[in-house]
DNA sequence: GTGATTTCTTGATTTTTGTCAAGAGCAAAA
DNA sequence: TTTTGCTCTTGACAAAAATCAAGAAATCAC
């Protein structure tokens, strides 16, 4: 069983292996070189992608700086949900931090999943609710924690990331400057 | 047409008026006195409620303080989605800030909507995605804005709230102390 | 209306975080 | 290897926001 199948099985709860095969067959493997974009702000996001290998950074450019919203790792989905679903132009860019491989499904093909698997809408809904809850949690971290507490919490749950991506991106994602991040990090070593 | 019907029509896209009537009939009107709880942390959230009249505060209690997550106003839904969907105990409390009336549907009755209206799963999914996007936006505000910028942005879009609820709750919801909120507010008057 | 709460404001102070600038460390490219 | 970028760190300083404490203002209960 591929990781994508495994993921869909565990997160969406699809257990019938014929259904699984049908779903997975709609996804196409694509390679993205380090530094290349899976999605550029201003374009339409036409794909939902599963990261098979590598790392991707989702960010929003403002006048002054780039705000990293999320880092997508192996074994998770990535897309600009807003653009993918409502077919608006994307504010978000998604760029590969390393050579990356993704299984992508176009919006057109994605719709077919619902036709193939009757229970899909329900599963999909539950999946999105889980994503919603993660965001709620993240907002709570900004309302109730200091930069250092957010650092600690993220470090505990994402240790591996710290030696895989430029730390400035993690800093941005946690809502602090690279300098603050660096100082907090130093404190932990002492 | 009641506000609830209006809401379901515009946000969920249900246009057939028979369907609308069926859906709305599953909701029961309840009154909540000022200070009373629609949901208490530690309980199961068994209802999805539409605020017909009044104001409700959603908050999470930590050791030191209460963090206001959201203030639900007339014309919107409120629930602890996590608890409602996955039947976990709720971390969130929902308390009435004024005498309040809500149209509530139990989880059991809510499920019937999907059976009554075939398109419901799709509409519901889109609804949740809109909620997801609002949260994304809110996270972005914490990553890219100062307290004052968050104040300004929220004030522009929610002027009415400022003379309807204790300001400390708005402060908490925007991720700042009441003192900081008060000082920013003063600056705006000068 | 009066007293009791609660909410809001203000000042003084401390802590946290951001900004600017310089340099060190490292890795990729020439 | 040398050069060139990029990333990270560090220090000095400035700004933002939190804390503490007191008092004013508004609201609620009687």
């Amino acid at each position: 069983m591929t990781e994508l199948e495994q993921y869909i099985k565990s997160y969406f709860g699809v257990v019938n292996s014929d259904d699984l095969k049908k779903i997975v067959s709609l996804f196409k493997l694509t390679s993205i070189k380090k530094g290349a974009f899976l999605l550029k702000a201003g374009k339409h996001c036409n794909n939902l992608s599963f990261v098979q290998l590598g790392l991707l950074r989702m960010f929003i450019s403002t006048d002054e700086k780039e705000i990293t919203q999320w880092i997508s790792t192996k074994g998770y989905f990535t897309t600009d949900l807003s653009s993918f679903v409502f077919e608006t132009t994307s504010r978000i860019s998604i760029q590969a931090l390393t050579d990356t491989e993704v299984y992508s499904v176009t919006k057109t093909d994605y719709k077919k999943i619902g036709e193939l698997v009757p229970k899909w809408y329900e599963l999909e809904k539950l999946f999105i609710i889980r994503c919603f809850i993660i965001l709620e949690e993240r907002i709570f971290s900004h309302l109730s924690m200091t930069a250092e507490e957010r650092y600690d919490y993220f470090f505990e749950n994402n240790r591996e990331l710290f030696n895989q991506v430029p730390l400035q991106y993690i800093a941005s994602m946690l809502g602090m400057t690279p300098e603050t991040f660096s100082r907090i990090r130093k404190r932990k070593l002492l």
Side-chain angles (χ1 to χ4, degrees), chain A residues 35-47 57 59-61 80 83 88-96:
Chain A
F37 286 83
L38 174 59
L39 171 65
K40 279 204 174 185
K43 307 273 182 190
H44 291 256
C45 179
N46 198 33
N47 292 283
R57 176 174 72 109
F59 66 93
I60 294 180
S61 295
D80 177 357
S83 178
T88 54
T89 43
S90 175
R91 284 175 72 200
I92 297 178
S93 297
I94 306 179
Q95 187 180 26

Side-chain angles (χ1 to χ4, degrees), chain A residues 137-138 140-158 162 174-176 180-181 184-185 187-188:
Chain A
E137 202 53 48
R138 211 170 151 202
F140 182 70
S141 81
H142 283 277
L143 301 184
S144 65
M145 295 181 189
T146 62
E148 183 157 358
E149 288 167 334
R150 291 198 300 278
Y151 176 101
D152 288 343
Y153 187 77
F154 190 78
F155 182 72
E156 279 313 314
N157 297 293
N158 302 276
F162 282 65
L174 294 177
M176 65 188 84
T180 296
F181 186 94
I184 291 173
R185 184 162 175 253
R187 274 182 239 156
K188 304 296 163 190

Side-chain angles (χ1 to χ4, degrees), chain A residues 3 7 32 36 38-39 45 47-59 67-81 92-104 127 131 134-135 138 154 158 160-161 164-166 169-170 173:
Chain A
E3 278 182 86
Y7 187 93
I32 308 161
L38 174 59
L39 171 65
C45 179
N47 292 283
L48 171 67
S49 303
F50 178 84
V51 183
Q52 168 68 15
L53 193 73
L55 291 158
L56 296 152
R57 176 174 72 109
M58 307 180 70
F59 66 93
I67 309 288
T68 298
Q69 272 235 323
W70 192 253
I71 293 165
S72 298
T73 56
K74 180 172 145 66
Y76 290 92
F77 275 108
T78 189
T79 191
D80 177 357
L81 196 60
I92 297 178
S93 297
I94 306 179
Q95 187 180 26
L97 292 174
T98 61
D99 289 354
T100 294
E101 289 184 2
V102 295
Y103 277 105
S104 287
F127 179 77
C131 297
I134 290 168
L135 293 198
R138 211 170 151 202
F154 190 78
N158 302 276
E160 344 66 54
L161 259 198
Q164 291 182 351
V165 306
Y169 299 143
I170 299 180
M173 191 178 142

